Amino acid sequence: MKFKKLVAVLSSVLLMGTMFAGCAPSSTTTAPAASTEKAAPAAQEEAKPAEKPKNDKLVVGFAQIGQESGWRDAETWSILNTAEELGVDLKFSDAQQKQENQIKAIRTFIQQQVDVIGVAPVVETGWETVFKEAKDAGIPIILVDRRADVPEDLYAAFIGSDFILEGQNAAKEMAALLGNKGSIVELQGTVGASAATDRMKGFTDELGNYPDMKILASQTGDFTRAKGKEVMEAFLKAYPGQINGVYAHNDDMALGAIEAIKDAGLKPSVDIKVVSIDGVKGIFEAMAAGEANVTVECNPLLGPQFFQAAQDLKDGKTVEKWIKSDEGIFRQETAKEDLPNRKY
Ligand code: GYE
C-alpha cells in the first residue's frame, strides 16, 4: 500500500474513530461492518471445536492514538502495510487522541479473542485495569512507541525508542549550535505522554552540564504543527529578542514554530536555532532550505518488529522486554543528500 493512499484512506475512514478488521487490500477500505469474522463465534462453535485451531492466522488488535503528526501517520502505515504483507488478520482502531477510546478498543479486542494486542498509549497512566482484563483473558499486550506506567507483568514488551537519550542528544546539539550559551524555549509533546515526559527530562538533565544555557519557557504544543505555531507565537511575544533556540519534542511542532519565527520577521535556524525529534521528511525539507538545524531521529517504522514479536508470543516464545529501534542524528549540513533516502 502506498503511503499517500494510506493517509487518504485513514483520513476518510479512521477519522470517524471506528474500528475495522483485516489489513488485506480488500478489507482496508471496507466498512466497519465487515469486521465480523472473529466477532460471531456462536454459529461457528457448533460446527468446530471451541478451541482455536493451532497454526491459524495471527490475529492482532492495534489501538492507535490518532493522526496528530507525520510520525504517527508513518507508524500507522508501517503497521497496516506489514500486516498486509504478512497476511495478518489486523483489527485497527484510531482513538482520535482519547485514552477512553483506546481502552474501549482494547476491550473489543479482548471480546474478539485476538492473539495479541498492540497499543500506543496516548498517556502513561490509567492502563492497569484494562491491561489486567487482557491478562486474565490470556492476551499479551505489546506497548508500541510510548510506555505505560504499569507493573512489568502486565505487558509482554515495549517496542520503541529511548526518549531520555533523545532529549539528551537534542540538548548536546543545541549546546553545540549555540556555543554552549543561550536561552531556549521548549515545545513539549502531549502532557502525560512518556515521549514528552522523558524528552523533557533528558534535555533538562543534560542542560545541567551547561551553566550558561537556560530554558526560558516550556509549554505543550500537543505534538501538532498548529499548536506548535501558536505556542511559539506566544513565546516570541513574551520574550522579544531573547530567544536563541527552540527545542521541540517533535518535528511537526518545530515546523509550526518555524512559521511563527518567519511571521515575526526572523530567520529560523539563523536568528533562532531549531532542534527537534522524529526525522520526518518535512523537517529534512526545512533543513535543506536552511530553516531548521537538527533532528534527532525516532523511528516510526515499527511494523516488522511488532508483528515479529506478536508471532513469537503466539508461538509461546519469550520476547525481549524492551525492543529498541536503531536511530541517528541528522543535521542541516547533510540534509540535501539525506532527503532522498528518507522513508517517512
Ligand atoms: O515523536 C510524535 C508523535 O510517540 C514517539 O508521538 C511518538 C511521538 C512522536 O506524535 O511525533
Side-chain angles (χ1 to χ4, degrees), residues 114-140:
V114 299
D115 295 313
V116 175
I117 293 173
V119 54
V122 60
V123 290
E124 227 170 337
T125 54
W127 298 101
E128 211 160 317
T129 308
V130 73
F131 283 11
K132 270 194 192 132
E133 288 166 23
K135 192 178 180 193
D136 291 346
I139 303 174

mmCIF file with all atom_site columns, all heavy atoms in Angstrom, residues 114-140:
data_model
loop_
_atom_site.group_PDB
_atom_site.id
_atom_site.type_symbol
_atom_site.label_atom_id
_atom_site.label_alt_id
_atom_site.label_comp_id
_atom_site.label_asym_id
_atom_site.label_entity_id
_atom_site.label_seq_id
_atom_site.pdbx_PDB_ins_code
_atom_site.Cartn_x
_atom_site.Cartn_y
_atom_site.Cartn_z
_atom_site.occupancy
_atom_site.B_iso_or_equiv
_atom_site.pdbx_formal_charge
_atom_site.auth_seq_id
_atom_site.auth_comp_id
_atom_site.auth_asym_id
_atom_site.auth_atom_id
_atom_site.pdbx_PDB_model_num
ATOM 1   N N   . VAL A 1 114 ? -8.551  -11.845 20.134 1.00 0.00 ? 114 VAL A N   1
ATOM 2   C CA  . VAL A 1 114 ? -7.356  -11.726 19.297 1.00 0.00 ? 114 VAL A CA  1
ATOM 3   C C   . VAL A 1 114 ? -6.190  -12.439 19.991 1.00 0.00 ? 114 VAL A C   1
ATOM 4   O O   . VAL A 1 114 ? -6.254  -12.733 21.185 1.00 0.00 ? 114 VAL A O   1
ATOM 5   C CB  . VAL A 1 114 ? -6.988  -10.240 19.050 1.00 0.00 ? 114 VAL A CB  1
ATOM 6   C CG1 . VAL A 1 114 ? -8.112  -9.519  18.339 1.00 0.00 ? 114 VAL A CG1 1
ATOM 7   C CG2 . VAL A 1 114 ? -6.631  -9.536  20.353 1.00 0.00 ? 114 VAL A CG2 1
ATOM 8   N N   . ASP A 1 115 ? -5.130  -12.722 19.238 1.00 0.00 ? 115 ASP A N   1
ATOM 9   C CA  . ASP A 1 115 ? -3.965  -13.400 19.830 1.00 0.00 ? 115 ASP A CA  1
ATOM 10  C C   . ASP A 1 115 ? -3.116  -12.429 20.637 1.00 0.00 ? 115 ASP A C   1
ATOM 11  O O   . ASP A 1 115 ? -2.587  -12.777 21.693 1.00 0.00 ? 115 ASP A O   1
ATOM 12  C CB  . ASP A 1 115 ? -3.076  -13.989 18.725 1.00 0.00 ? 115 ASP A CB  1
ATOM 13  C CG  . ASP A 1 115 ? -3.781  -15.080 17.944 1.00 0.00 ? 115 ASP A CG  1
ATOM 14  O OD1 . ASP A 1 115 ? -4.377  -15.963 18.596 1.00 0.00 ? 115 ASP A OD1 1
ATOM 15  O OD2 . ASP A 1 115 ? -3.744  -15.042 16.706 1.00 0.00 ? 115 ASP A OD2 1
ATOM 16  N N   . VAL A 1 116 ? -2.943  -11.222 20.121 1.00 0.00 ? 116 VAL A N   1
ATOM 17  C CA  . VAL A 1 116 ? -2.061  -10.228 20.752 1.00 0.00 ? 116 VAL A CA  1
ATOM 18  C C   . VAL A 1 116 ? -2.684  -8.843  20.560 1.00 0.00 ? 116 VAL A C   1
ATOM 19  O O   . VAL A 1 116 ? -3.316  -8.584  19.532 1.00 0.00 ? 116 VAL A O   1
ATOM 20  C CB  . VAL A 1 116 ? -0.657  -10.245 20.092 1.00 0.00 ? 116 VAL A CB  1
ATOM 21  C CG1 . VAL A 1 116 ? 0.235   -9.149  20.646 1.00 0.00 ? 116 VAL A CG1 1
ATOM 22  C CG2 . VAL A 1 116 ? 0.023   -11.607 20.263 1.00 0.00 ? 116 VAL A CG2 1
ATOM 23  N N   . ILE A 1 117 ? -2.490  -7.975  21.558 1.00 0.00 ? 117 ILE A N   1
ATOM 24  C CA  . ILE A 1 117 ? -2.966  -6.592  21.429 1.00 0.00 ? 117 ILE A CA  1
ATOM 25  C C   . ILE A 1 117 ? -1.767  -5.643  21.438 1.00 0.00 ? 117 ILE A C   1
ATOM 26  O O   . ILE A 1 117 ? -0.907  -5.731  22.322 1.00 0.00 ? 117 ILE A O   1
ATOM 27  C CB  . ILE A 1 117 ? -3.928  -6.222  22.581 1.00 0.00 ? 117 ILE A CB  1
ATOM 28  C CG1 . ILE A 1 117 ? -5.222  -7.040  22.467 1.00 0.00 ? 117 ILE A CG1 1
ATOM 29  C CG2 . ILE A 1 117 ? -4.235  -4.720  22.584 1.00 0.00 ? 117 ILE A CG2 1
ATOM 30  C CD1 . ILE A 1 117 ? -6.168  -6.885  23.644 1.00 0.00 ? 117 ILE A CD1 1
ATOM 31  N N   . GLY A 1 118 ? -1.724  -4.739  20.455 1.00 0.00 ? 118 GLY A N   1
ATOM 32  C CA  . GLY A 1 118 ? -0.718  -3.682  20.437 1.00 0.00 ? 118 GLY A CA  1
ATOM 33  C C   . GLY A 1 118 ? -1.392  -2.373  20.806 1.00 0.00 ? 118 GLY A C   1
ATOM 34  O O   . GLY A 1 118 ? -2.507  -2.107  20.368 1.00 0.00 ? 118 GLY A O   1
ATOM 35  N N   . VAL A 1 119 ? -0.713  -1.569  21.621 1.00 0.00 ? 119 VAL A N   1
ATOM 36  C CA  . VAL A 1 119 ? -1.279  -0.257  21.953 1.00 0.00 ? 119 VAL A CA  1
ATOM 37  C C   . VAL A 1 119 ? -0.157  0.761   22.052 1.00 0.00 ? 119 VAL A C   1
ATOM 38  O O   . VAL A 1 119 ? 0.904   0.481   22.592 1.00 0.00 ? 119 VAL A O   1
ATOM 39  C CB  . VAL A 1 119 ? -2.133  -0.305  23.255 1.00 0.00 ? 119 VAL A CB  1
ATOM 40  C CG1 . VAL A 1 119 ? -1.367  -0.888  24.425 1.00 0.00 ? 119 VAL A CG1 1
ATOM 41  C CG2 . VAL A 1 119 ? -2.666  1.084   23.626 1.00 0.00 ? 119 VAL A CG2 1
ATOM 42  N N   . ALA A 1 120 ? -0.413  1.945   21.489 1.00 0.00 ? 120 ALA A N   1
ATOM 43  C CA  . ALA A 1 120 ? 0.495   3.079   21.626 1.00 0.00 ? 120 ALA A CA  1
ATOM 44  C C   . ALA A 1 120 ? -0.172  3.999   22.655 1.00 0.00 ? 120 ALA A C   1
ATOM 45  O O   . ALA A 1 120 ? -1.060  4.777   22.299 1.00 0.00 ? 120 ALA A O   1
ATOM 46  C CB  . ALA A 1 120 ? 0.643   3.798   20.286 1.00 0.00 ? 120 ALA A CB  1
ATOM 47  N N   . PRO A 1 121 ? 0.199   3.897   23.922 1.00 0.00 ? 121 PRO A N   1
ATOM 48  C CA  . PRO A 1 121 ? -0.564  4.600   24.964 1.00 0.00 ? 121 PRO A CA  1
ATOM 49  C C   . PRO A 1 121 ? -0.450  6.128   24.853 1.00 0.00 ? 121 PRO A C   1
ATOM 50  O O   . PRO A 1 121 ? 0.639   6.665   24.974 1.00 0.00 ? 121 PRO A O   1
ATOM 51  C CB  . PRO A 1 121 ? 0.073   4.118   26.266 1.00 0.00 ? 121 PRO A CB  1
ATOM 52  C CG  . PRO A 1 121 ? 0.925   2.939   25.903 1.00 0.00 ? 121 PRO A CG  1
ATOM 53  C CD  . PRO A 1 121 ? 1.331   3.147   24.479 1.00 0.00 ? 121 PRO A CD  1
ATOM 54  N N   . VAL A 1 122 ? -1.561  6.793   24.668 1.00 0.00 ? 122 VAL A N   1
ATOM 55  C CA  . VAL A 1 122 ? -1.545  8.246   24.476 1.00 0.00 ? 122 VAL A CA  1
ATOM 56  C C   . VAL A 1 122 ? -0.931  8.949   25.677 1.00 0.00 ? 122 VAL A C   1
ATOM 57  O O   . VAL A 1 122 ? -0.157  9.890   25.531 1.00 0.00 ? 122 VAL A O   1
ATOM 58  C CB  . VAL A 1 122 ? -2.946  8.795   24.104 1.00 0.00 ? 122 VAL A CB  1
ATOM 59  C CG1 . VAL A 1 122 ? -3.974  8.510   25.175 1.00 0.00 ? 122 VAL A CG1 1
ATOM 60  C CG2 . VAL A 1 122 ? -2.892  10.280  23.803 1.00 0.00 ? 122 VAL A CG2 1
ATOM 61  N N   . VAL A 1 123 ? -1.282  8.490   26.886 1.00 0.00 ? 123 VAL A N   1
ATOM 62  C CA  . VAL A 1 123 ? -0.639  8.988   28.108 1.00 0.00 ? 123 VAL A CA  1
ATOM 63  C C   . VAL A 1 123 ? -0.113  7.784   28.885 1.00 0.00 ? 123 VAL A C   1
ATOM 64  O O   . VAL A 1 123 ? -0.441  6.644   28.570 1.00 0.00 ? 123 VAL A O   1
ATOM 65  C CB  . VAL A 1 123 ? -1.619  9.799   29.002 1.00 0.00 ? 123 VAL A CB  1
ATOM 66  C CG1 . VAL A 1 123 ? -1.978  11.125  28.344 1.00 0.00 ? 123 VAL A CG1 1
ATOM 67  C CG2 . VAL A 1 123 ? -2.877  8.999   29.317 1.00 0.00 ? 123 VAL A CG2 1
ATOM 68  N N   . GLU A 1 124 ? 0.681   8.067   29.920 1.00 0.00 ? 124 GLU A N   1
ATOM 69  C CA  . GLU A 1 124 ? 1.368   6.965   30.592 1.00 0.00 ? 124 GLU A CA  1
ATOM 70  C C   . GLU A 1 124 ? 0.507   6.255   31.641 1.00 0.00 ? 124 GLU A C   1
ATOM 71  O O   . GLU A 1 124 ? 0.655   5.055   31.863 1.00 0.00 ? 124 GLU A O   1
ATOM 72  C CB  . GLU A 1 124 ? 2.632   7.539   31.257 1.00 0.00 ? 124 GLU A CB  1
ATOM 73  C CG  . GLU A 1 124 ? 3.850   6.708   31.000 1.00 0.00 ? 124 GLU A CG  1
ATOM 74  C CD  . GLU A 1 124 ? 5.134   7.398   31.449 1.00 0.00 ? 124 GLU A CD  1
ATOM 75  O OE1 . GLU A 1 124 ? 5.163   8.641   31.546 1.00 0.00 ? 124 GLU A OE1 1
ATOM 76  O OE2 . GLU A 1 124 ? 6.101   6.674   31.706 1.00 0.00 ? 124 GLU A OE2 1
ATOM 77  N N   . THR A 1 125 ? -0.390  7.009   32.273 1.00 0.00 ? 125 THR A N   1
ATOM 78  C CA  . THR A 1 125 ? -1.124  6.413   33.400 1.00 0.00 ? 125 THR A CA  1
ATOM 79  C C   . THR A 1 125 ? -2.529  5.951   33.007 1.00 0.00 ? 125 THR A C   1
ATOM 80  O O   . THR A 1 125 ? -3.042  6.330   31.953 1.00 0.00 ? 125 THR A O   1
ATOM 81  C CB  . THR A 1 125 ? -1.263  7.448   34.544 1.00 0.00 ? 125 THR A CB  1
ATOM 82  O OG1 . THR A 1 125 ? -1.851  8.634   33.990 1.00 0.00 ? 125 THR A OG1 1
ATOM 83  C CG2 . THR A 1 125 ? 0.073   7.795   35.156 1.00 0.00 ? 125 THR A CG2 1
ATOM 84  N N   . GLY A 1 126 ? -3.137  5.147   33.887 1.00 0.00 ? 126 GLY A N   1
ATOM 85  C CA  . GLY A 1 126 ? -4.549  4.787   33.712 1.00 0.00 ? 126 GLY A CA  1
ATOM 86  C C   . GLY A 1 126 ? -4.797  3.502   32.940 1.00 0.00 ? 126 GLY A C   1
ATOM 87  O O   . GLY A 1 126 ? -5.912  3.275   32.458 1.00 0.00 ? 126 GLY A O   1
ATOM 88  N N   . TRP A 1 127 ? -3.782  2.635   32.833 1.00 0.00 ? 127 TRP A N   1
ATOM 89  C CA  . TRP A 1 127 ? -3.946  1.432   31.997 1.00 0.00 ? 127 TRP A CA  1
ATOM 90  C C   . TRP A 1 127 ? -4.120  0.144   32.774 1.00 0.00 ? 127 TRP A C   1
ATOM 91  O O   . TRP A 1 127 ? -4.429  -0.904  32.188 1.00 0.00 ? 127 TRP A O   1
ATOM 92  C CB  . TRP A 1 127 ? -2.718  1.288   31.072 1.00 0.00 ? 127 TRP A CB  1
ATOM 93  C CG  . TRP A 1 127 ? -2.576  2.435   30.140 1.00 0.00 ? 127 TRP A CG  1
ATOM 94  C CD1 . TRP A 1 127 ? -1.716  3.488   30.263 1.00 0.00 ? 127 TRP A CD1 1
ATOM 95  C CD2 . TRP A 1 127 ? -3.334  2.679   28.950 1.00 0.00 ? 127 TRP A CD2 1
ATOM 96  N NE1 . TRP A 1 127 ? -1.894  4.359   29.216 1.00 0.00 ? 127 TRP A NE1 1
ATOM 97  C CE2 . TRP A 1 127 ? -2.883  3.888   28.400 1.00 0.00 ? 127 TRP A CE2 1
ATOM 98  C CE3 . TRP A 1 127 ? -4.364  1.981   28.286 1.00 0.00 ? 127 TRP A CE3 1
ATOM 99  C CZ2 . TRP A 1 127 ? -3.401  4.432   27.231 1.00 0.00 ? 127 TRP A CZ2 1
ATOM 100 C CZ3 . TRP A 1 127 ? -4.887  2.516   27.131 1.00 0.00 ? 127 TRP A CZ3 1
ATOM 101 C CH2 . TRP A 1 127 ? -4.418  3.724   26.616 1.00 0.00 ? 127 TRP A CH2 1
ATOM 102 N N   . GLU A 1 128 ? -3.903  0.208   34.086 1.00 0.00 ? 128 GLU A N   1
ATOM 103 C CA  . GLU A 1 128 ? -3.787  -1.036  34.845 1.00 0.00 ? 128 GLU A CA  1
ATOM 104 C C   . GLU A 1 128 ? -5.029  -1.932  34.726 1.00 0.00 ? 128 GLU A C   1
ATOM 105 O O   . GLU A 1 128 ? -4.914  -3.124  34.474 1.00 0.00 ? 128 GLU A O   1
ATOM 106 C CB  . GLU A 1 128 ? -3.501  -0.697  36.305 1.00 0.00 ? 128 GLU A CB  1
ATOM 107 C CG  . GLU A 1 128 ? -2.666  -1.766  36.937 1.00 0.00 ? 128 GLU A CG  1
ATOM 108 C CD  . GLU A 1 128 ? -1.943  -1.297  38.191 1.00 0.00 ? 128 GLU A CD  1
ATOM 109 O OE1 . GLU A 1 128 ? -1.395  -0.167  38.192 1.00 0.00 ? 128 GLU A OE1 1
ATOM 110 O OE2 . GLU A 1 128 ? -1.939  -2.078  39.158 1.00 0.00 ? 128 GLU A OE2 1
ATOM 111 N N   . THR A 1 129 ? -6.206  -1.358  34.888 1.00 0.00 ? 129 THR A N   1
ATOM 112 C CA  . THR A 1 129 ? -7.430  -2.177  34.886 1.00 0.00 ? 129 THR A CA  1
ATOM 113 C C   . THR A 1 129 ? -7.604  -2.920  33.573 1.00 0.00 ? 129 THR A C   1
ATOM 114 O O   . THR A 1 129 ? -7.806  -4.138  33.555 1.00 0.00 ? 129 THR A O   1
ATOM 115 C CB  . THR A 1 129 ? -8.668  -1.266  35.136 1.00 0.00 ? 129 THR A CB  1
ATOM 116 O OG1 . THR A 1 129 ? -8.410  -0.513  36.301 1.00 0.00 ? 129 THR A OG1 1
ATOM 117 C CG2 . THR A 1 129 ? -9.924  -2.072  35.314 1.00 0.00 ? 129 THR A CG2 1
ATOM 118 N N   . VAL A 1 130 ? -7.513  -2.211  32.481 1.00 0.00 ? 130 VAL A N   1
ATOM 119 C CA  . VAL A 1 130 ? -7.792  -2.850  31.187 1.00 0.00 ? 130 VAL A CA  1
ATOM 120 C C   . VAL A 1 130 ? -6.670  -3.837  30.810 1.00 0.00 ? 130 VAL A C   1
ATOM 121 O O   . VAL A 1 130 ? -6.923  -4.889  30.213 1.00 0.00 ? 130 VAL A O   1
ATOM 122 C CB  . VAL A 1 130 ? -8.082  -1.804  30.079 1.00 0.00 ? 130 VAL A CB  1
ATOM 123 C CG1 . VAL A 1 130 ? -6.833  -1.061  29.643 1.00 0.00 ? 130 VAL A CG1 1
ATOM 124 C CG2 . VAL A 1 130 ? -8.734  -2.465  28.875 1.00 0.00 ? 130 VAL A CG2 1
ATOM 125 N N   . PHE A 1 131 ? -5.440  -3.535  31.205 1.00 0.00 ? 131 PHE A N   1
ATOM 126 C CA  . PHE A 1 131 ? -4.352  -4.489  30.923 1.00 0.00 ? 131 PHE A CA  1
ATOM 127 C C   . PHE A 1 131 ? -4.546  -5.774  31.733 1.00 0.00 ? 131 PHE A C   1
ATOM 128 O O   . PHE A 1 131 ? -4.233  -6.864  31.267 1.00 0.00 ? 131 PHE A O   1
ATOM 129 C CB  . PHE A 1 131 ? -2.976  -3.878  31.249 1.00 0.00 ? 131 PHE A CB  1
ATOM 130 C CG  . PHE A 1 131 ? -2.473  -2.889  30.210 1.00 0.00 ? 131 PHE A CG  1
ATOM 131 C CD1 . PHE A 1 131 ? -3.309  -2.409  29.196 1.00 0.00 ? 131 PHE A CD1 1
ATOM 132 C CD2 . PHE A 1 131 ? -1.160  -2.430  30.246 1.00 0.00 ? 131 PHE A CD2 1
ATOM 133 C CE1 . PHE A 1 131 ? -2.841  -1.501  28.244 1.00 0.00 ? 131 PHE A CE1 1
ATOM 134 C CE2 . PHE A 1 131 ? -0.688  -1.527  29.297 1.00 0.00 ? 131 PHE A CE2 1
ATOM 135 C CZ  . PHE A 1 131 ? -1.531  -1.053  28.309 1.00 0.00 ? 131 PHE A CZ  1
ATOM 136 N N   . LYS A 1 132 ? -5.095  -5.632  32.977 1.00 0.00 ? 132 LYS A N   1
ATOM 137 C CA  . LYS A 1 132 ? -5.385  -6.825  33.787 1.00 0.00 ? 132 LYS A CA  1
ATOM 138 C C   . LYS A 1 132 ? -6.453  -7.658  33.112 1.00 0.00 ? 132 LYS A C   1
ATOM 139 O O   . LYS A 1 132 ? -6.394  -8.888  33.099 1.00 0.00 ? 132 LYS A O   1
ATOM 140 C CB  . LYS A 1 132 ? -5.866  -6.409  35.177 1.00 0.00 ? 132 LYS A CB  1
ATOM 141 C CG  . LYS A 1 132 ? -4.732  -6.273  36.160 1.00 0.00 ? 132 LYS A CG  1
ATOM 142 C CD  . LYS A 1 132 ? -5.261  -6.196  37.591 1.00 0.00 ? 132 LYS A CD  1
ATOM 143 C CE  . LYS A 1 132 ? -4.129  -5.769  38.506 1.00 0.00 ? 132 LYS A CE  1
ATOM 144 N NZ  . LYS A 1 132 ? -4.495  -4.694  39.427 1.00 0.00 ? 132 LYS A NZ  1
ATOM 145 N N   . GLU A 1 133 ? -7.449  -6.978  32.525 1.00 0.00 ? 133 GLU A N   1
ATOM 146 C CA  . GLU A 1 133 ? -8.515  -7.715  31.823 1.00 0.00 ? 133 GLU A CA  1
ATOM 147 C C   . GLU A 1 133 ? -7.923  -8.536  30.674 1.00 0.00 ? 133 GLU A C   1
ATOM 148 O O   . GLU A 1 133 ? -8.297  -9.680  30.451 1.00 0.00 ? 133 GLU A O   1
ATOM 149 C CB  . GLU A 1 133 ? -9.565  -6.736  31.289 1.00 0.00 ? 133 GLU A CB  1
ATOM 150 C CG  . GLU A 1 133 ? -10.423 -6.116  32.383 1.00 0.00 ? 133 GLU A CG  1
ATOM 151 C CD  . GLU A 1 133 ? -11.235 -4.896  31.900 1.00 0.00 ? 133 GLU A CD  1
ATOM 152 O OE1 . GLU A 1 133 ? -11.478 -4.787  30.672 1.00 0.00 ? 133 GLU A OE1 1
ATOM 153 O OE2 . GLU A 1 133 ? -11.601 -4.081  32.744 1.00 0.00 ? 133 GLU A OE2 1
ATOM 154 N N   . ALA A 1 134 ? -6.988  -7.933  29.951 1.00 0.00 ? 134 ALA A N   1
ATOM 155 C CA  . ALA A 1 134 ? -6.339  -8.665  28.844 1.00 0.00 ? 134 ALA A CA  1
ATOM 156 C C   . ALA A 1 134 ? -5.546  -9.839  29.402 1.00 0.00 ? 134 ALA A C   1
ATOM 157 O O   . ALA A 1 134 ? -5.596  -10.955 28.861 1.00 0.00 ? 134 ALA A O   1
ATOM 158 C CB  . ALA A 1 134 ? -5.428  -7.730  28.056 1.00 0.00 ? 134 ALA A CB  1
ATOM 159 N N   . LYS A 1 135 ? -4.836  -9.591  30.482 1.00 0.00 ? 135 LYS A N   1
ATOM 160 C CA  . LYS A 1 135 ? -4.025  -10.666 31.073 1.00 0.00 ? 135 LYS A CA  1
ATOM 161 C C   . LYS A 1 135 ? -4.917  -11.828 31.518 1.00 0.00 ? 135 LYS A C   1
ATOM 162 O O   . LYS A 1 135 ? -4.615  -12.998 31.255 1.00 0.00 ? 135 LYS A O   1
ATOM 163 C CB  . LYS A 1 135 ? -3.237  -10.111 32.266 1.00 0.00 ? 135 LYS A CB  1
ATOM 164 C CG  . LYS A 1 135 ? -2.183  -11.089 32.720 1.00 0.00 ? 135 LYS A CG  1
ATOM 165 C CD  . LYS A 1 135 ? -1.351  -10.588 33.859 1.00 0.00 ? 135 LYS A CD  1
ATOM 166 C CE  . LYS A 1 135 ? -0.338  -11.695 34.182 1.00 0.00 ? 135 LYS A CE  1
ATOM 167 N NZ  . LYS A 1 135 ? 0.322   -11.487 35.439 1.00 0.00 ? 135 LYS A NZ  1
ATOM 168 N N   . ASP A 1 136 ? -6.033  -11.496 32.153 1.00 0.00 ? 136 ASP A N   1
ATOM 169 C CA  . ASP A 1 136 ? -6.960  -12.548 32.600 1.00 0.00 ? 136 ASP A CA  1
ATOM 170 C C   . ASP A 1 136 ? -7.507  -13.341 31.421 1.00 0.00 ? 136 ASP A C   1
ATOM 171 O O   . ASP A 1 136 ? -7.839  -14.517 31.550 1.00 0.00 ? 136 ASP A O   1
ATOM 172 C CB  . ASP A 1 136 ? -8.127  -11.935 33.385 1.00 0.00 ? 136 ASP A CB  1
ATOM 173 C CG  . ASP A 1 136 ? -7.659  -11.383 34.731 1.00 0.00 ? 136 ASP A CG  1
ATOM 174 O OD1 . ASP A 1 136 ? -6.527  -11.717 35.134 1.00 0.00 ? 136 ASP A OD1 1
ATOM 175 O OD2 . ASP A 1 136 ? -8.404  -10.599 35.355 1.00 0.00 ? 136 ASP A OD2 1
ATOM 176 N N   . ALA A 1 137 ? -7.630  -12.672 30.267 1.00 0.00 ? 137 ALA A N   1
ATOM 177 C CA  . ALA A 1 137 ? -8.142  -13.365 29.066 1.00 0.00 ? 137 ALA A CA  1
ATOM 178 C C   . ALA A 1 137 ? -7.001  -14.087 28.331 1.00 0.00 ? 137 ALA A C   1
ATOM 179 O O   . ALA A 1 137 ? -7.221  -14.682 27.275 1.00 0.00 ? 137 ALA A O   1
ATOM 180 C CB  . ALA A 1 137 ? -8.801  -12.347 28.134 1.00 0.00 ? 137 ALA A CB  1
ATOM 181 N N   . GLY A 1 138 ? -5.790  -14.011 28.875 1.00 0.00 ? 138 GLY A N   1
ATOM 182 C CA  . GLY A 1 138 ? -4.651  -14.708 28.262 1.00 0.00 ? 138 GLY A CA  1
ATOM 183 C C   . GLY A 1 138 ? -4.126  -14.026 27.012 1.00 0.00 ? 138 GLY A C   1
ATOM 184 O O   . GLY A 1 138 ? -3.501  -14.664 26.166 1.00 0.00 ? 138 GLY A O   1
ATOM 185 N N   . ILE A 1 139 ? -4.383  -12.722 26.873 1.00 0.00 ? 139 ILE A N   1
ATOM 186 C CA  . ILE A 1 139 ? -3.929  -11.999 25.670 1.00 0.00 ? 139 ILE A CA  1
ATOM 187 C C   . ILE A 1 139 ? -2.768  -11.072 26.029 1.00 0.00 ? 139 ILE A C   1
ATOM 188 O O   . ILE A 1 139 ? -2.937  -10.131 26.815 1.00 0.00 ? 139 ILE A O   1
ATOM 189 C CB  . ILE A 1 139 ? -5.085  -11.177 25.052 1.00 0.00 ? 139 ILE A CB  1
ATOM 190 C CG1 . ILE A 1 139 ? -6.266  -12.098 24.717 1.00 0.00 ? 139 ILE A CG1 1
ATOM 191 C CG2 . ILE A 1 139 ? -4.608  -10.430 23.804 1.00 0.00 ? 139 ILE A CG2 1
ATOM 192 C CD1 . ILE A 1 139 ? -7.514  -11.378 24.248 1.00 0.00 ? 139 ILE A CD1 1
ATOM 193 N N   . PRO A 1 140 ? -1.585  -11.321 25.456 1.00 0.00 ? 140 PRO A N   1
ATOM 194 C CA  . PRO A 1 140 ? -0.455  -10.439 25.768 1.00 0.00 ? 140 PRO A CA  1
ATOM 195 C C   . PRO A 1 140 ? -0.597  -9.051  25.152 1.00 0.00 ? 140 PRO A C   1
ATOM 196 O O   . PRO A 1 140 ? -1.146  -8.899  24.064 1.00 0.00 ? 140 PRO A O   1
ATOM 197 C CB  . PRO A 1 140 ? 0.763   -11.158 25.174 1.00 0.00 ? 140 PRO A CB  1
ATOM 198 C CG  . PRO A 1 140 ? 0.262   -12.277 24.358 1.00 0.00 ? 140 PRO A CG  1
ATOM 199 C CD  . PRO A 1 140 ? -1.215  -12.425 24.569 1.00 0.00 ? 140 PRO A CD  1
#
